[in-house]
Amino acid sequence: MHQPAVQDRQVRVAITGEGLALTLGVDLFPGVSTTLSKQLAGPKAQVYVNRVSTGIARLLLTNLDEALRPPTQAQVARAAQLAVAHRVSLPHEVLIDRMALQEFVDTLAPAAR
């Protein structure tokens, strides 16, 4: 029985934009390449592409180093509580940057770590 070479089962995924250029080699299980071709030729191809795109975006985010991930809703809520308690505004960076959020919290509540 012929086993296909790894190259026969590998697809390249390119992610580009906003100063980013990332190319991934994705090893597929046997038969998936053929199934993908059928899916992409079918009437629901765009629905599939949208689902895969959303899934890849989630994977990229969840596989970042923890310090580089966006703050969680709970972390933002804690920072907002501290801002209200100290009567200061909540900087925009705190909403999108986990390290900025931690610095903000540490400044207002050094023992909150």
Side-chain angles (χ1 to χ4, degrees), residues 24-77:
L24 305 171
V26 179
D27 293 327
L28 301 175
F29 294 106
V32 172
S33 183
T34 303
T35 304
L36 279 174
S37 294
K38 289 178 185 176
Q39 177 75 50
L40 295 172
K44 295 183 180 179
Q46 191 57 52
V47 172
Y48 177 75
V49 167
N50 292 344
R51 253 191 346 252
V52 169
S53 177
T54 299
I56 289 172
R58 285 188 184 131
L59 281 172
L60 290 171
L61 183 62
T62 58
N63 285 287
L64 286 172
D65 289 341
E66 188 155 340
L68 298 175
R69 293 182 199 161
T72 65
Q73 289 180 342
Q75 290 170 323
V76 171

Side-chain angles (χ1 to χ4, degrees), residues 1-9 28-31:
M1 186 152 125
H2 169 67
Q3 280 286 14
V6 172
Q7 295 97 330
D8 295 342
R9 295 184 307 207
L28 301 175
F29 294 106

Side-chain angles (χ1 to χ4, degrees), residues 14-23:
I15 301 167
T16 59
E18 296 185 30
L20 173 69
L22 174 67
T23 302

